Amino acid sequence: MDSSIIQFIVNSIFPWLVFSSLVYASFSYKNKLNNISPNIWWFALVSCFLPFIPLSLSSMNIAVLDLEYIGSSLESVKIVKQASITQVSLREPDLAAAVLIIGYIFVTCSKLVRLVTVWQKLKRISSSSEIIGSLSDNGTQVVVSSLNHSPFVFGISVPQIVLPKYFRSLEKEQQSILLQHELTHIANKDHVAILIWRVLSTLLWINPFIKKMEWQFIQAMEHRCDRLTIYRFNVNRYSYANTLLQSLKRSIHLNNSDPVAQFNSGALCPNGYKSRLTNIVRPANKSSLRLAVKFSLMIFALFSLYALVKEAAVTEKVTWQHPIENHTVSSSFRSISNIRHYKPHQGVDYVAKSGSSVLSAADGIIIVADNRTLHPNYGNTVLVQHKGGYQTLYSHLESIEAKTGTWVKAGQNIGVIGDTGKTTGLHLHFEVIKDNQRIDPSLIFNTEALRR
């Protein structure tokens, strides 16, 4: 699979999934104890994306700066600017990467089509329902459908309360409770919030914890709506609980997980309704400020742990090896020669027999693999980006065995020793660049071979 896709999955998607699971597990555990505010789940959703924040300058995802080789024996040698090594342009996109991208787009589009279909179904029910009135305080239209479903709010900018067929057979007090509950949803913009959550969980379906957070948000939203409805309209708690039970018994049509604010939501399991009824009758008084502080500290602790683990991973020492086996060194770093007009040599020249393989000196990603990007005197050249801001350059190759954008391991064949470009014979010109400056390759190898 293409290296950029692998890097994106390893460096972004996988940490995102792991961190999302930790956030969800922590928040849902606290929710069982305290029935937290729905706003906390918005906080949890945003927190899940913290792994996308770059944490270290030594990360493989840092920007690769323009490299201008000052003092080079070659004239006007410049490396083409790379915006990011994870955004290297690929000449031949890997088939597996293309399949993954196309697969994601296909599944996402199919889910969005399904969501639009559900929305259209709800729209048809709403438009075909009988209008029984309009609330004078906010102009909200109230309609009664021909189906027995949960009461729900439909619409975005102009919401509409859609009541079930059995609404007419309820007692006046129960009818008022149903209307008051849906009015509370409208006052809190819950119908808009649920639609936003559904769209997000549809677009981000590859992260199952976003969907789980959506269900948790709906449960918390219903707890809040129950509490505010009872408080605002001074409703008897036992009458409210009985109305909820009656609605559950009679709602037999529609999928109660539809993306609308409704009285009995499909996001609640039997235990969820048990908890909801308990909180209606005997509400627990918890300080929202204390809970907010606790959750903030919890996220800070989780992200700090994640940052430490990631920092340890990205700052891992690079393992180096010589770029060619069975070699001798014909010209060491900073050596002076009339061939280079007595200017210090900026690399090391390896001599080996014809046909010898040139190996990557460390793990990295290839950002140059041609004879055009650099000065023509270099001939066929490979430039590899490594961790920690290191780069290695291999020039005068007879042939190049690697492609731009591919990931290579230490010791992997990337070319064949040659004499292309401006040379005096068969050899490999090898350079090590650290933070835009050439350094002595002997500093990275545990050997004295380069100092001869």
Side-chain angles (χ1 to χ4, degrees):
M1 187 182 296
D2 178 71
S3 57
S4 61
I5 299 296
I6 294 175
Q7 277 201 293
F8 182 69
I9 292 174
V10 173
N11 295 341
S12 300
I13 298 298
F14 184 69
W16 177 45
L17 293 174
V18 172
F19 193 72
S20 296
S21 68
L22 294 175
V23 171
Y24 173 75
S26 302
F27 279 53
S28 59
Y29 174 75
K30 294 293 291 183
N31 187 45
K32 289 180 180 178
L33 302 177
N34 298 303
N35 290 316
I36 59 180
S37 165
N39 294 329
I40 293 295
W41 289 106
W42 285 111
F43 179 49
L45 176 66
V46 174
S47 301
C48 288
F49 292 89
L50 289 176
F52 288 98
I53 299 176
L55 299 177
S56 172
L57 292 178
S58 61
S59 168
M60 288 297 293
N61 290 322
I62 62 173
V64 180
L65 304 177
D66 287 330
L67 301 180
E68 183 172 357
Y69 294 152
I70 302 174
S72 170
S73 59
L74 304 177
E75 297 179 359
S76 304
V77 179
K78 292 184 179 181
I79 302 300
V80 173
K81 181 177 181 180
Q82 303 292 327
S84 168
I85 63 173
T86 58
Q87 299 174 4
V88 177
S89 58
L90 304 178
R91 297 178 184 177
E92 298 180 6
D94 186 84
L95 178 61
V99 169
L100 282 177
I101 295 172
I102 294 173
Y104 169 78
I105 294 174
F106 176 79
V107 174
T108 302
C109 289
S110 64
K111 288 180 175 290
L112 287 173
V113 168
R114 194 179 308 137
L115 179 60
V116 171
T117 302
V118 171
W119 188 259
Q120 290 298 323
K121 177 192 68 175
L122 295 171
K123 185 177 181 179
R124 287 194 298 271
I125 293 173
S126 174
S127 59
S128 62
S129 299
E130 178 186 353
I131 300 175
I132 63 171
S134 179
L135 302 179
S136 57
D137 54 344
N138 56 11
T140 301
Q141 194 176 67
V142 181
V143 300
V144 176
S145 75
S146 59
L147 300 173
N148 286 327
H149 52 76
S150 170
F152 65 90
V153 177
F154 180 79
I156 302 176
S157 59
V158 184
Q160 185 182 59
I161 297 177
V162 183
L163 298 171
K165 180 181 178 180
Y166 62 78
F167 175 80
R168 299 179 188 276
S169 63
L170 295 176
E171 298 176 1
K172 290 294 183 181
E173 182 182 24
Q174 293 176 334
Q175 290 180 346
S176 297
I177 289 173
L178 290 182
L179 285 171
Q180 291 161 355
H181 181 92
E182 301 309 319
L183 283 173
T184 303
H185 274 315
I186 294 173
N188 287 285
K189 305 295 182 183
D190 291 338
H191 56 295
V192 177
I194 288 179
L195 188 58
I196 292 174
W197 271 96
R198 183 56 52 85
V199 171
L200 288 175
S201 64
T202 299
L203 294 175
L204 305 174
W205 60 268
I206 57 174
N207 188 339
F209 299 101
I210 302 298
K211 186 67 175 180
K212 291 179 180 292
M213 289 182 189
E214 178 192 347
W215 294 138
Q216 292 284 357
F217 168 82
I218 294 175
Q219 292 186 50
M221 179 195 70
E222 291 300 338
H223 281 289
R224 180 184 66 182
C225 191
D226 293 337
R227 184 177 66 254
L228 293 178
T229 301
I230 292 171
Y231 175 78
R232 287 176 58 192
F233 298 98
N234 195 25
V235 179
N236 180 276
R237 296 183 181 277
Y238 292 95
S239 298
Y240 191 96
N242 184 55
T243 304
L244 175 59
L245 290 173
Q246 290 298 319
S247 180
L248 284 171
K249 290 178 182 180
R250 301 191 186 192
S251 299
I252 59 175
H253 292 287
L254 292 184
N255 180 359
N256 284 338
S257 62
D258 288 333
V260 288
Q262 50 192 322
F263 193 43
N264 32 293
S265 172
L268 273 69
C269 60
N271 286 334
Y273 274 107
K274 180 180 178 180
S275 174
R276 184 177 172 186
L277 289 168
T278 300
N279 277 276
I280 289 172
V281 178
R282 292 192 301 272
N285 295 320
K286 298 289 182 179
S287 170
S288 57
L289 178 60
R290 289 181 60 185
L291 285 177
V293 171
K294 286 182 179 180
F295 280 109
S296 299
L297 292 175
M298 186 166 55
I299 286 295
F300 177 76
L302 287 173
F303 187 66
S304 297
L305 177 62
Y306 161 78
L308 289 174
V309 173
K310 185 171 184 179
E311 183 68 16
V314 299
T315 56
E316 180 183 0
K317 290 185 178 180
V318 181
T319 301
W320 297 96
Q321 70 167 60
H322 284 285
I324 200 165
E325 299 176 348
N326 302 319
H327 64 272
T328 58
V329 175
S330 62
S331 179
S332 59
F333 186 73
R334 293 290 184 184
S335 63
I336 304 297
S337 164
N338 62 351
I339 297 176
R340 289 178 290 274
H341 306 290
Y342 299 100
K343 293 181 179 179
H345 191 207
Q346 297 297 308
V348 171
D349 288 344
Y350 288 86
V351 176
K353 65 180 181 179
S354 177
S356 296
S357 296
V358 175
L359 313 174
S360 177
D363 296 352
I365 189 170
I366 295 180
I367 56 176
V368 173
D370 56 43
N371 60 1
R372 301 179 302 276
T373 303
L374 305 183
H375 194 284
N377 285 355
Y378 270 134
N380 292 328
T381 306
V382 172
L383 181 68
V384 183
Q385 178 73 40
H386 309 284
K387 287 184 178 181
Y390 284 98
Q391 291 178 323
T392 52
L393 180 144
Y394 316 76
S395 65
H396 306 311
L397 303 178
E398 178 66 27
S399 62
I400 296 174
E401 306 297 332
K403 297 179 181 179
T404 301
T406 56
W407 178 266
V408 291
K409 302 289 290 183
Q412 183 174 331
N413 182 30
I414 58 174
V416 176
I417 193 171
D419 60 355
T420 58
K422 184 179 180 180
T423 68
T424 57
L426 184 77
H427 75 283
L428 168 69
H429 176 76
F430 176 70
E431 297 180 8
V432 178
I433 304 102
K434 169 67 172 172
D435 298 329
N436 297 357
Q437 298 293 326
R438 289 183 174 116
I439 65 171
D440 187 349
S442 66
L443 298 176
I444 65 173
F445 296 119
N446 295 322
T447 179
E448 295 181 356
L450 294 179
R451 295 186 180 277
R452 293 188 302 207

